[in-house]
Amino acid sequence: MSIARVDSVKVDSILDKALSGERLTLEDGLALYESHDLIKLGAAAKQVTKRLHPDNIVTFTVNRNINYTNVCDTYCRFCAFYRPEGHPEAYVLSDDVILDKIRETYEIGGDESEILMQGGTHPGLPLSYYTDLLRKIKAHFPTIIMHSFSAAEIWKMVEVSGLSLKEVIRQLKEAGLDSIPGGGAEILDDRTRMRISKLKESWTKWMEVHDTAHRLGMNTTATMVIGFGESHEERILHMLRVREQQDKTGGFTAFISWTYQPDNTALKGTRATAVEYLKNVAISRLMIDNIKNFQSSWVTMGPKIGQAALEFGCNDMGSTMIEENVVSAAGATHSMNIRELIRLIRDAGLTPARRNTYYKILETY
Amino acid sequence: MEVIGKTHPFSDIWEKVQAGIRLSKEDGLRLMKSNDIIALGHMANYVREKKHGDYVFFNTNRHINPTNICQTLCSFCAFGVRMKDPKAYTMSMEEIEHRADMVPPGVTEIHIVGGNNPQLKIDYYEELLRRLKKKLPHVHLKAFTAVELDHFSRVNKMPVEEILQRLVAAGLDSMPGGGAEIFAEKPRSIIADHKTSGERWLEIHEIAHEMGLRSNCTMLYNHLESEEDRIDHLIALRELQDRTGGFQTFIPLSWHPENTELIKQYPDLNWSTGFLDLKVLAVARLMLDNIDHIKTYWIQVGTKLAQTALWFGADDLDGTVVEEKIYHAAGAETEQEMEKSELIRLIREAGRIPVERDTLYNIVNMEFAIA
């Protein structure tokens, strides 16, 4: 009648290990993936989350995505966004357009709103483009938090400028960069990376950016994307590498996983399911014991599963994520988004709170 | 680890569940008020696996809605229209036969429901059933909610018993569960005024069961009902099942706010959340200890939530299953059709076993190729 199950005694002992504060190994993680007991994995992850967040607060931030360019020379097979330089649909937003978008965000979210500015790896933009833009933004909006540029973009700046990684990040920070998003991590294992994106930097290069930023006093986030056809072992290795880095430098503010979206991409494939996502979130929480905040992905999983993830290890609902192409009705759209996030969190019996990029609580609702 | 230990607020209910002791109304209320969906899911999954192991049932059916003309325009419903509405239609027998001709092999059931059309007498429905049975003698006809039967009874001035006898003689095989809405009078009077009462709905299903018909049952939630209203509804269904045993499946239905009168009157109502959908399913599984199947309707709650629900008490996935999808709305959160292979993948990736069934839960197939 039933599928052969992984020995539930073994799974229970692994979960007990995690709950007692002992660290899980690669083998432990693999055994958890073989378990089909979604509820028990969720229950354990929830207990770990409650230990770290006993106040029942669930946070979210007000931010805006600005994709300043779609020109990219990395050609990831899973990406629907990039265009080669010279393509008729290629663009680089003007500074004025970018400042207008930030002004809109500031008018909606006020001080300590977040700008998640990311784009392609543009081979023609000098480092001064970025530093000048950051200075201009900070001159106009001193309290806006620039949580911007993925590791891949920063490596492109290193390549174009000829400077060292440390020097590039130092200059970006000095110009106004506050934090670095975890984008581009995908799966931190090169077998999968080479299959989905031959030109993308290796996982150690991704980590080197975050290590360097942490040592310069910056915070960053770590991400994970599932559904590329990666193995369970590769997923666990991803988590272990993030955990190991956090042991060294402690600069990750959050861990964010989501599912690969195959529409309009060269890689195609099928979407990871909700159960797979919730299971992955729970196992991540159990494996990565040294990152406090786990962000739910309502963007890729929808509001229902995004909310359910609050029972599977997440303590944060991410952000309002004003879209790049939002029209001037942004006010209405945005306040609906804040209201909806608050409703989802309250409906789960938890207390919603707005935070900034560093997870400092700005307002409790 | 233990999900519900001795100090857990639900440890007493968990002991009852494991011992197979029926939950009381007070137990049900505590569960329905809780946001601990992990605990609810754990208990519901225990019951689900005890009854069905890892089986997830689905069937391949088609829908026919003979008319959308309805004299009972419920404020929560987006389907019914007045007779003079430009969108109004009533299918002719030729159209019914054409629909039958379009039914592909492998379909085991036709689900037939429509509006309360005041111009259609019982002979229309008898003829409809006869023609479908003649065209598709091996296909099960699951037709007409209790509300429609009550309407037929009034329009034809016949008792429901006689209506059912004539319909069964013409080919009726079982009844769907629609029209239950919420039995509690106060919310029912607002969302479904002038419709068949909750008592009458139960009475009609009881009559059908005593005549040997199986039926399903539903509950509409996420509107104006209270937690107590939900539990009372479940208990009423449970009590009828104790008497007759004719219910096969319970299907919770969340109310959708688009395109209805109700959202205009109560603008603060909203889409149901994931927590609410999972909670209602889990509590239903725990309260309805005598109804075999709990169904989650993926067209309504979305495929992601429906898949997760397989761990929160649901053992049946409903929705229109096609062998090969002709129409695809890219990016649509709630699609209208799903390829059978995709449904099988969803079930397997939930860690469950897909089982294709007919209307009466006879197994049709469970030897599906690994995609």
Side-chain angles (χ1 to χ4, degrees), chain B residues 91 298 343 363:
Chain B
M91 290 182 187
W298 54 261
L343 187 73
I363 293 176

PDB file of all heavy atoms in Angstrom, chain B residues 91 298 343 363:
ATOM      1  N   MET B  91     -29.092  24.253 -23.426  1.00  0.00           N
ATOM      2  CA  MET B  91     -28.647  23.327 -24.469  1.00  0.00           C
ATOM      3  C   MET B  91     -29.811  22.520 -25.023  1.00  0.00           C
ATOM      4  O   MET B  91     -30.646  22.006 -24.271  1.00  0.00           O
ATOM      5  CB  MET B  91     -27.597  22.363 -23.911  1.00  0.00           C
ATOM      6  CG  MET B  91     -26.278  23.013 -23.595  1.00  0.00           C
ATOM      7  SD  MET B  91     -25.115  21.756 -23.009  1.00  0.00           S
ATOM      8  CE  MET B  91     -23.761  22.812 -22.516  1.00  0.00           C
ATOM      9  N   TRP B 298      -8.175  21.341  -7.385  1.00  0.00           N
ATOM     10  CA  TRP B 298      -7.036  22.168  -7.745  1.00  0.00           C
ATOM     11  C   TRP B 298      -7.395  23.339  -8.659  1.00  0.00           C
ATOM     12  O   TRP B 298      -6.681  24.331  -8.716  1.00  0.00           O
ATOM     13  CB  TRP B 298      -5.884  21.354  -8.339  1.00  0.00           C
ATOM     14  CG  TRP B 298      -6.190  20.480  -9.498  1.00  0.00           C
ATOM     15  CD1 TRP B 298      -6.420  19.133  -9.459  1.00  0.00           C
ATOM     16  CD2 TRP B 298      -6.286  20.848 -10.871  1.00  0.00           C
ATOM     17  NE1 TRP B 298      -6.640  18.656 -10.717  1.00  0.00           N
ATOM     18  CE2 TRP B 298      -6.571  19.689 -11.612  1.00  0.00           C
ATOM     19  CE3 TRP B 298      -6.162  22.056 -11.549  1.00  0.00           C
ATOM     20  CZ2 TRP B 298      -6.741  19.688 -12.992  1.00  0.00           C
ATOM     21  CZ3 TRP B 298      -6.320  22.061 -12.928  1.00  0.00           C
ATOM     22  CH2 TRP B 298      -6.605  20.886 -13.636  1.00  0.00           C
ATOM     23  N   LEU B 343      -0.496  15.715 -13.766  1.00  0.00           N
ATOM     24  CA  LEU B 343      -1.142  15.380 -12.502  1.00  0.00           C
ATOM     25  C   LEU B 343      -0.406  14.226 -11.823  1.00  0.00           C
ATOM     26  O   LEU B 343      -0.166  14.244 -10.612  1.00  0.00           O
ATOM     27  CB  LEU B 343      -2.605  15.003 -12.757  1.00  0.00           C
ATOM     28  CG  LEU B 343      -3.453  14.787 -11.507  1.00  0.00           C
ATOM     29  CD1 LEU B 343      -3.766  16.117 -10.837  1.00  0.00           C
ATOM     30  CD2 LEU B 343      -4.750  14.072 -11.848  1.00  0.00           C
ATOM     31  N   ILE B 363     -10.784   1.127  -8.805  1.00  0.00           N
ATOM     32  CA  ILE B 363      -9.515   1.517  -9.407  1.00  0.00           C
ATOM     33  C   ILE B 363      -9.549   1.216 -10.902  1.00  0.00           C
ATOM     34  O   ILE B 363      -9.810   0.094 -11.322  1.00  0.00           O
ATOM     35  CB  ILE B 363      -8.341   0.792  -8.723  1.00  0.00           C
ATOM     36  CG1 ILE B 363      -8.220   1.295  -7.283  1.00  0.00           C
ATOM     37  CG2 ILE B 363      -7.045   1.036  -9.485  1.00  0.00           C
ATOM     38  CD1 ILE B 363      -7.169   0.589  -6.460  1.00  0.00           C
TER      39      ILE B 363
END
